[in-house]
Amino acid sequence: MFRRGLVKIIQAFTLAVAGFLLLWMLMANWYFEWHSSIKVTTGAVIGSVLISSLLLLVVIGGSYWLGRQKTSWIIGSFTGLTALKFPVVAWLKIAPTSDFWNYHTLAAFNAQGLTWQRMLERGDLGSYVIFPHALNIANFFSFSTALAGDNFFISQFINISCTFLDMLLLYWLVARWLSRRMGVLASLIFYCIPAYWLYSTLLNGAEPLFLTCVLLTMFALTRVVVPLPTATTNDQWLNLVLAWVATVVANMVRPVMTIWLIALVIFTLALGLQSTKVLRQHGKKILLYVGATVLVMAASTGIYSWLYGFQVAPSSVTAGYSLAIGTSNQTKGMYDPQIASQVNRELKVTPNLTRAYPRIAKTMQRDVQKNLTALRGQEIPFINQKMRGLMGEDYGYNWVLYNLSHAKSQRKTAIRWYQLKGLITIVSYNYFQVMLVLALGSVGLGLGVLFKKNYLNNYFFYSALLLDGFTISSLIMEVQGRYHVILYLPIIFLIICGGAAMASWIHSKQLNRTTPD
């Protein structure tokens, strides 16, 4: 009795924190939208209402209809929706800049035969030596470049393929948890996110690969804990290895999977407090998975140094840089060119990397201390500004705008794209705000059914754990609008849990009406 009471308190606290964070996100999102440089015209407002209504119709109507169809229809529909991205790729020609240019160029150099060590000697890597995850992203793209050439479309095709896999994985995952209709609903909500639709279609960012690996991890672990009736012991071990590989790859491109591991451990312990059967059956496998993953994470600096042929920066240097920027009041926790120039200067002054890294670490520590001192008495306004920066849902439009080709043949297209800023940005914000409102309502439903015997309680708890962990950790470090992409998953999970709770309540009401007295 005590153990179950303790679990309920932990679950209630986790959901309450999630509710607070969602309300904060919603307010920050509204503020960012209305204080941005969007030119709100009558046409943009009317167009955004029509497009938002169409997207909601696709999500609701599509999930209702596809939920009654065979799996082949679902996969075919997902394929057709994915194919809609290719005309946009043909229309908007991309000439990558910033990190996207670095990924593409370094991948091409490596595919042409230049070793990473040689690129370091030529000065091609720059400050990327302290960002192993950036080197990993370029390295992943180099495999496709070696096979298919350095055409930027190959990178776009890979990311579009990842979003297709994400739809399938979301469908399979949620269908295993709840129902086919809820699985389709989750996939369509994810597909229709306007900002991410643009970003994952036109740019070569690492987020699509990262989300695919995260979903693959969840799906594989689900098949370990809740195996199919026909699954053998070897199948479970194979899925455990698949989950481990997917987790390692996800952490290579976005080193935040420690949060996932902590959430998994807390969730497993909570399940163990509810029933020791879970720990007896799967405790060893989960422990092995967590232990093997932590071991690789701890040895990552040595592994990357061996992989690239030179000493890459330890994770403490990378974390120190991100924390220094994340505490900068001048840039509201976003990219700080002054701190970036400090790193570049240290690398030029001390070409020997093993000597440069400690110097950079000390510089970052001084910056953090200076920033924290400057923030005294302003902590709440500052963290509120960081949340606004994190919730910028215009990242999809803006990054496409920054990376559009400036060729003469593309001028009309670029002008037209600029004219669409108001419409596309408002639609992006409105859609995400609807997601936040639905997730917030779902948290209320989760708290409502928490102290009843309901099969959804653990699903609500798991979703809220992920939301709390990824949101709070994001606010500590450097923030950008595109960094909240990982939050889409727990937000969608919460919406689906709320939908399942409502469907269950409606079903029970209908049964009560048809049951004779």
Side-chain angles (χ1 to χ4, degrees):
M1 189 70 180
F2 170 76
R3 290 187 303 174
R4 294 197 175 186
L6 179 62
V7 170
K8 294 297 181 185
I9 292 173
I10 295 172
Q11 290 177 334
F13 176 76
T14 305
L15 280 167
V17 172
F20 170 76
L21 290 174
L22 285 167
L23 183 60
W24 189 11
M25 289 179 202
L26 187 60
M27 294 173 64
N29 197 266
W30 277 333
Y31 182 92
F32 200 96
E33 178 183 8
W34 290 110
H35 288 78
S36 63
S37 59
I38 305 172
K39 292 183 180 180
V40 181
T41 62
T42 304
V45 172
I46 295 174
S48 65
V49 171
L50 291 175
I51 294 175
S52 300
S53 301
L54 178 63
L55 291 176
L56 292 175
L57 181 64
V58 169
V59 171
I60 297 172
S63 61
Y64 179 81
W65 183 75
L66 283 175
R68 298 174 172 225
Q69 307 302 316
K70 295 180 180 179
T71 303
S72 58
W73 272 94
I74 295 173
I75 296 176
S77 298
F78 290 174
T79 303
L81 289 171
T82 302
L84 293 177
K85 296 188 170 193
F86 292 106
V88 178
V89 172
W91 176 47
L92 296 170
K93 301 298 182 183
I94 299 296
T97 62
S98 186
D99 286 337
F100 309 104
W101 181 86
N102 288 331
Y103 301 153
H104 183 65
T105 302
L106 294 178
F109 284 166
N110 186 240
Q112 290 165 7
L114 279 177
T115 64
W116 295 98
Q117 189 173 10
R118 179 58 182 151
M119 282 189 268
L120 174 68
E121 294 169 354
R122 292 181 2 149
D124 296 327
L125 301 186
S127 61
Y128 268 26
V129 293
I130 74 164
F131 305 117
H133 67 278
L135 295 176
N136 294 334
I137 295 167
N139 200 13
F140 281 126
F141 281 119
S142 72
F143 296 123
S144 60
T145 304
L147 292 173
D150 63 354
N151 191 321
F152 190 72
F153 172 72
I154 302 302
S155 299
Q156 294 174 317
F157 181 79
I158 290 173
N159 279 356
I160 290 172
S161 300
C162 283
T163 57
F164 172 70
L165 290 175
D166 292 342
M167 292 178 71
L168 290 179
L169 287 168
L170 269 172
Y171 165 68
W172 288 330
L173 184 64
V174 177
R176 287 293 303 274
W177 290 357
L178 301 172
S179 66
R180 293 175 78 249
R181 184 174 296 175
M182 289 299 164
V184 174
L185 179 61
S187 297
L188 292 181
I189 291 173
F190 175 79
Y191 172 82
C192 289
I193 299 172
Y196 189 68
W197 196 96
L198 290 171
Y199 183 85
S200 61
T201 299
L202 293 164
L203 298 170
N204 61 333
E207 285 75 12
L209 175 62
F210 172 67
L211 288 189
T212 300
C213 290
V214 172
L215 287 170
L216 190 58
T217 298
M218 293 181 186
F219 180 68
L221 282 179
T222 298
R223 299 190 70 168
V224 172
V225 178
V226 189
L228 294 170
T230 57
T232 64
T233 303
N234 288 338
D235 292 333
Q236 292 185 48
W237 283 109
L238 183 62
N239 278 299
L240 192 69
V241 172
L242 179 61
W244 175 73
V245 172
T247 306
V248 170
V249 174
N251 198 68
M252 288 178 72
V253 296
R254 281 288 176 264
V256 297
M257 290 304 285
T258 303
I259 304 301
W260 152 256
L261 291 179
I262 293 172
L264 178 65
V265 169
I266 294 173
F267 183 67
T268 304
L269 291 175
L271 290 179
L273 288 173
Q274 295 173 60
S275 173
T276 57
K277 181 181 178 181
V278 175
L279 292 180
R280 285 200 309 269
Q281 287 184 338
H282 309 292
K284 290 182 180 179
K285 291 186 179 70
I286 298 298
L287 183 62
L288 180 62
Y289 161 76
V290 172
T293 306
V294 170
L295 186 64
V296 172
M297 288 181 179
S300 60
T301 301
I303 295 172
Y304 298 154
S305 298
W306 167 79
L307 180 64
Y308 295 111
F310 61 86
Q311 182 65 43
V312 301
S315 57
S316 58
V317 175
T318 308
Y321 173 85
S322 185
L323 189 59
I325 289 182
T327 54
S328 174
N329 197 17
Q330 292 181 344
T331 61
K332 302 176 183 178
M334 304 179 78
Y335 175 75
D336 190 331
Q338 184 177 351
I339 294 177
S341 66
Q342 287 178 338
V343 172
N344 290 326
R345 186 166 57 251
E346 291 289 355
L347 290 172
K348 288 180 180 178
V349 171
T350 314
N352 187 317
L353 294 178
T354 55
R355 292 171 55 193
Y357 294 147
R359 292 170 61 92
I360 294 172
K362 288 181 181 179
T363 303
M364 295 302 103
Q365 288 174 4
R366 286 197 299 268
D367 287 342
V368 171
Q369 291 300 323
K370 183 181 68 175
N371 291 341
L372 292 177
T373 301
L375 282 174
R376 286 176 185 170
Q378 303 179 50
E379 293 87 352
I380 293 178
F382 174 70
I383 200 70
N384 201 30
Q385 289 174 333
K386 286 193 71 174
M387 177 62 89
R388 291 169 187 167
L390 182 65
M391 288 295 107
E393 194 64 13
D394 54 358
Y395 71 90
Y397 174 87
N398 285 339
W399 278 115
V400 171
L401 178 65
Y402 300 153
N403 288 271
L404 276 182
S405 172
H406 295 292
K408 289 184 179 180
S409 59
Q410 294 298 309
R411 275 183 188 169
K412 289 184 179 179
T413 301
I415 292 172
R416 182 57 181 157
W417 183 252
Y418 185 77
Q419 292 170 342
L420 290 172
K421 179 177 182 178
L423 174 63
I424 294 174
T425 306
I426 293 173
V427 170
S428 299
Y429 275 105
N430 288 352
Y431 188 89
F432 188 50
Q433 287 162 9
V434 170
M435 288 178 61
L436 292 174
V437 169
L438 291 176
L440 188 58
S442 296
V443 168
L445 290 173
L447 289 169
V449 302
L450 183 61
F451 294 96
K452 300 175 183 178
K453 192 174 182 181
N454 193 299
Y455 74 103
L456 289 170
N457 286 338
N458 284 323
Y459 294 119
F460 274 114
F461 177 50
Y462 172 74
S463 305
L465 264 179
L466 292 180
L467 181 72
D468 295 351
F470 283 122
T471 304
I472 294 171
S473 63
S474 296
L475 289 173
I476 296 172
M477 301 298 188
E478 176 189 358
V479 295
Q480 286 188 34
R482 58 177 172 155
Y483 288 176
H484 76 250
V485 165
I486 182 58
L487 301 182
Y488 290 147
L489 297 184
I491 289 172
I492 290 172
F493 293 154
L494 283 170
I495 294 172
I496 296 305
C497 289
M502 285 297 297
S504 178
W505 180 77
I506 293 172
H507 182 67
S508 63
K509 286 290 184 182
Q510 290 175 341
L511 285 178
N512 290 335
R513 287 176 183 173
T514 56
T515 302
D517 295 332

